[in-house]
Amino acid sequence: MTWDARAYDRDFAFVSAYGAELLDWLKPQPGETVIDLGCGTGELAARIAAAGATVIGIDSDPAMIEAARKRLPDADLRVADAHDFAVEQPVDAVFSNAALHWMPSSVEVLGCVSDALRPGGRFVAEMGATGNVATVTAAVEQACREAGLAERSWPWSFPSPAQYAAMLEDAGFELRELDFRDRPTRLTGREGFVGWLRMFAGSAVSDVPPEVLDRAAEIARPVLWHDRAWWADYRRLRFRAVKVS
Ligand code: BEZ
């Protein structure tokens, strides 16, 4: 998937704003080297660098890395696939915000993360968890069924805490902290519900006519529209794990 980096920064700044809380779990230290996996436009990588750490930003989308280079001209920023990346020297920490659910093989990603870390290094991340955006996807599926369109295939996977904890352990991590919670998320973009779908579910809704997306918004509205805004039903899985083997 390729992104419109400018629209992402303009309309979806909440992704990094929430991610800033995750930095309290990472606690980057001066002198450390930290990978930001799925760094996007580099907003959080810049904060890690501002804490005095050396940051390596990795993203599979060249447009995102280009935008990140404008923000962090001196940083080590790489276009690479999280399923298949390697670094020259083991790092102290890997950080990832709202990116892991885009990666189809958690096992492969965790293998690369583990290989990139020094023993005792930490992996701190947040991702969508089981049930994430379920009201959004159910509304789109219902609207598509009504319109006689094919079943949707969503581009994300949202594990349960137990599933992800087991995968972390299998990859040689010890889980030190885990948080699983609903986090209704205000969609601040100009186009609300439909704008979110166009940005984040592009491939799954690219064949859906605008009136069907509007119908999906109508279906979701009683649940997701309140306090004069759209709120997506995000559910988060946040964790801090340490490489032990
Ligand atoms: C999330 O951060 O949970 C998310 C973002 C975009 C699409 C799906 C989920």
Side-chain angles (χ1 to χ4, degrees), residues 1 5 34 56 63 69-70 80 95 102 136 148-149 178 206 209 226:
M1 166 145 178
V34 178
I56 301 174
R69 284 207 175 103
K70 293 195 180 116
F95 172 86
W102 292 98
V136 176
L149 297 173
L178 183 142
S206 54
H226 52 90

Side-chain angles (χ1 to χ4, degrees), residues 5 22 41-43 51 97 102 115 140 142 150 155 208 212 217-218 223 233:
L22 189 60
T41 60
E43 169 109 37
N97 178 53
W102 292 98
D115 288 348
V140 175
Q142 183 182 329
V208 180
V212 178
E218 189 185 311
V223 182
D233 52 338

Side-chain angles (χ1 to χ4, degrees), residues 3 14-15 97-99 101-102 126-129 132-133 155-156 158 183 196 199-201 234-236:
W3 297 83
F14 64 82
V15 178
N97 178 53
H101 48 248
W102 292 98
E126 180 172 313
M127 66 192 299
N132 196 40
V133 295
W156 330 291
F158 301 129
R183 196 201 63 207
W196 185 93
M199 173 60 81
F200 290 122
Y234 277 37
R235 294 181 107 187
R236 314 315 283 165

Side-chain angles (χ1 to χ4, degrees), residues 35-49:
I35 293 175
D36 183 350
L37 194 59
C39 66
T41 60
E43 169 109 37
L44 296 174
R47 292 187 190 218
I48 293 169

Side-chain angles (χ1 to χ4, degrees), residues 24 33 35 45 50 74 94 96 147 170 205 214 231 238:
D24 291 339
T33 300
I35 293 175
D74 300 327
V94 177
S96 182
D170 287 348
V205 299
D214 289 344
W231 296 80
R238 182 182 286 191

Side-chain angles (χ1 to χ4, degrees), residues 182-204:
D182 289 321
R183 196 201 63 207
T185 296
R186 186 171 172 197
L187 305 183
T188 51
R190 291 185 207 170
E191 293 179 278
F193 180 89
V194 170
W196 185 93
L197 283 172
R198 287 195 202 289
M199 173 60 81
F200 290 122
S203 61

